[in-house]
Amino acid sequence: EAKKSGRGVVRVFDESMDESIRFRRQIEGGLSQAIANGELRLVYQPIVAREQMEVVAFEALLRWNSPQYGQISPGLFIPIAEESNLIHELGDWVLDEALKMLAQWPGQYVSVNFSPRQFRRQNFVGHVVERVQHAGIEPGRLQIEITETAIFDNAERAADTLYRLRQMGFRIALDDFGTGYSSLYNIRKFALDCLKIDRSFIDGMGRERESAAIVHSIIHLGHALGLEVVAEGVETEAHLQALRVAGCSHYQGYYLARPLEAAVAVEIANERYMEPVIEQATASNGT
Ligand code: C2E
Ligand code: MG
Ligand code: MG
Ligand code: MG
């Protein structure tokens, strides 16, 4: 192909490769300074349950305000960190920060995202236990969110890690469920507490029968396996109603609340119940 399209094309291609590699290196360089420079913070999105709209948990979401690039989405910088060793330093910062917040909250648990490389590191269980003990937090108040990618590459080892985490009392959630390789048949091998239905299915529910059918099956089979099922990306009243009809009791999404600054999240945690849509409490860069 390259031969046919001639030299010019090849050169353009090479230049754009250079460009993206340079960009990644810049992001990496910036990230390696970000912790020391205080450019990172966590925002917290409520997870709300049942008719009463009880705030049962918060998901901690990382934000980076880079002096060079401004607010950069974790969707962009986490994969770059994941390809270097930075993910461990970043992940430890996230965990410690979330545990610090937990000490200020009454009953709720915090759900923290762990990337596949974090999850697969040597002695991951011991590492998490040590930090949780150091923070003086009960393991049951930390939910470890992993994706299907983290567990299906080496299913046996992952099953063992999850089992041991669960033995220690941690909660385990499978994030973005339905987008990876796992099936409802396979997940029974893993020690889980919670399935988070990927928001693409919630988004499709009103438009396509397929998405609605998938959402229904995940909810029913998840419940049948004794798992809590959380719908991600609940953006409208219609989503919420459809999910209720489908028997889903746990919701997360902009319709209920955007990710919130820590101080606002603490207030909401203390109130315990919330009304849908609290625009005024939205974090400035919380999306
Ligand atoms: P995720 O774990 O699936 O987190 C949910 C994402 O959906 C968040 O994006 C959240 O802000 C967004 N979201 C919540 N409700 C809605 C909604 O109603 N509509 C829409 N369109 N989006 C909604 P965010 O914060 O940009 O994070 C993106 C991803 O980056 C996360 O997806 C997670 O995979 C990763 N991430 C974020 N923080 C961390 C972290 O501390 N560690 C690791 N390893 N990954 C993180
Ligand atoms: Mg998540
Ligand atoms: Mg998710
Ligand atoms: Mg995601």
Side-chain angles (χ1 to χ4, degrees), residues 111-283:
S111 208
V112 174
N113 294 286
F114 289 84
S115 74
R117 264 192 73 193
Q118 287 177 274
F119 181 73
R120 293 190 201 118
R121 82 190 269 174
Q122 283 296 318
N123 194 24
F124 175 69
V125 179
H127 186 75
V128 176
V129 167
E130 189 191 306
R131 299 190 102 87
V132 166
Q133 278 175 352
H134 183 258
I137 296 291
E138 274 169 62
R141 297 188 64 209
L142 176 67
Q143 176 163 276
I144 294 169
E145 277 194 27
I146 50 167
T147 56
E148 294 159 87
T149 328
I151 56 179
F152 279 86
D153 285 1
N154 188 342
E156 247 167 65
R157 180 160 174 232
D160 178 61
T161 305
L162 291 177
Y163 178 78
R164 287 186 295 127
L165 286 169
R166 202 94 178 305
Q167 291 278 90
M168 298 302 302
F170 297 106
R171 293 177 54 99
I172 315 286
L174 201 49
D175 199 6
D176 303 342
F177 186 72
T179 58
Y181 311 104
S182 52
S183 66
L184 282 161
Y185 177 77
N186 277 324
I187 57 164
R188 89 212 134 92
K189 293 185 216 147
F190 298 100
L192 300 173
D193 297 277
C194 176
L195 285 182
K196 300 187 79 177
I197 311 175
D198 190 71
R199 70 163 189 265
S200 58
F201 300 115
I202 311 303
D203 185 48
M205 247 185 341
R207 290 193 309 272
E208 314 142 1
R209 292 179 59 181
E210 293 84 356
S211 288
I214 289 166
V215 169
H216 278 247
S217 331
I218 295 174
I219 293 165
H220 289 288
L221 281 159
H223 287 167
L225 294 171
L227 304 175
E228 187 178 286
V229 181
V230 175
E232 298 193 283
V234 180
E235 290 185 344
T236 64
E237 176 66 28
H239 288 162
L240 186 62
Q241 288 314 328
L243 286 162
R244 281 185 168 143
V245 168
C248 185
S249 56
H250 287 64
Y251 326 104
Q252 183 180 352
Y254 295 166
Y255 183 65
L256 303 145
R258 295 203 169 235
L260 307 167
E261 297 297 339
V264 180
V266 169
E267 272 172 43
I268 288 187
N270 283 307
E271 283 165 21
R272 256 190 75 190
Y273 298 95
M274 67 184 301
E275 295 293 315
V277 191
I278 38 160
E279 284 298 339
Q280 71 280 9
T282 293

Side-chain angles (χ1 to χ4, degrees), residues 42 44 92-105 110 131 134-137 141 266:
L42 292 182
Y44 298 89
D92 287 346
W93 184 88
V94 168
L95 178 57
D96 290 346
E97 185 72 14
L99 291 170
K100 241 186 272 166
M101 281 301 299
L102 261 178
Q104 300 178 48
W105 283 340
V110 164
R131 299 190 102 87
H134 183 258
I137 296 291
R141 297 188 64 209
V266 169

